[in-house]
Amino acid sequence: MESKYDSFDNKGLKILVHASAFFMPFLVPFIIYLVVADAAVKRVAVQAILFQVVMGILITISIVLSIILIGIPFLIIFGLMTIIIPIMGIIKTLSGETYNYPIVGRWF
């Protein structure tokens, strides 16, 4: 369980993991997972990687299904989720709350 009074370094690393979805969604969380010893930061990094993998699979399936026009709404929804969910993680982390990614939050 994460303390309300996390050190700034840990909070900053968690924000970096969430924000990396916009510039390096796999590399930054992977590096942080390997380098950092804090279990809470590692958990956020693994969740971020798993979320990006799942969203990539869902978007790929939606692209394939958009050939028959069924996948277009899913493509829009999953595309928006890949933008909105990391922003929600950043906001929750800034306010000192624990954030679990939807879909993969309880896997790890």
Side-chain angles (χ1 to χ4, degrees), residues 39-101:
V41 175
K42 284 185 177 245
R43 184 178 53 80
V44 170
V46 168
Q47 285 184 6
I49 292 169
L50 288 174
F51 179 75
Q52 293 299 329
V53 168
V54 169
M55 293 309 294
I57 292 168
L58 291 174
I59 288 173
T60 303
I61 291 169
S62 298
I63 290 170
V64 170
L65 290 177
S66 45
I67 294 171
I68 55 176
L69 299 176
I70 294 173
I72 293 174
F74 292 116
L75 185 60
I76 293 168
I77 291 169
F78 297 143
L80 288 174
M81 282 179 66
T82 58
I83 296 169
I84 294 170
I85 299 299
I87 291 172
M88 289 174 53
I90 292 169
I91 292 169
K92 293 278 188 174
T93 303
L94 284 172
S95 66
E97 299 176 40
T98 301
Y99 182 75
N100 289 315
Y101 278 86

Side-chain angles (χ1 to χ4, degrees), residues 11-32:
K11 186 182 276 189
L13 287 172
K14 290 177 185 176
I15 291 170
L16 179 63
V17 168
H18 294 305
S20 71
F22 302 114
F23 56 93
M24 288 188 204
F26 298 104
L27 184 63
V28 172
F30 182 69
I31 290 172
I32 288 177

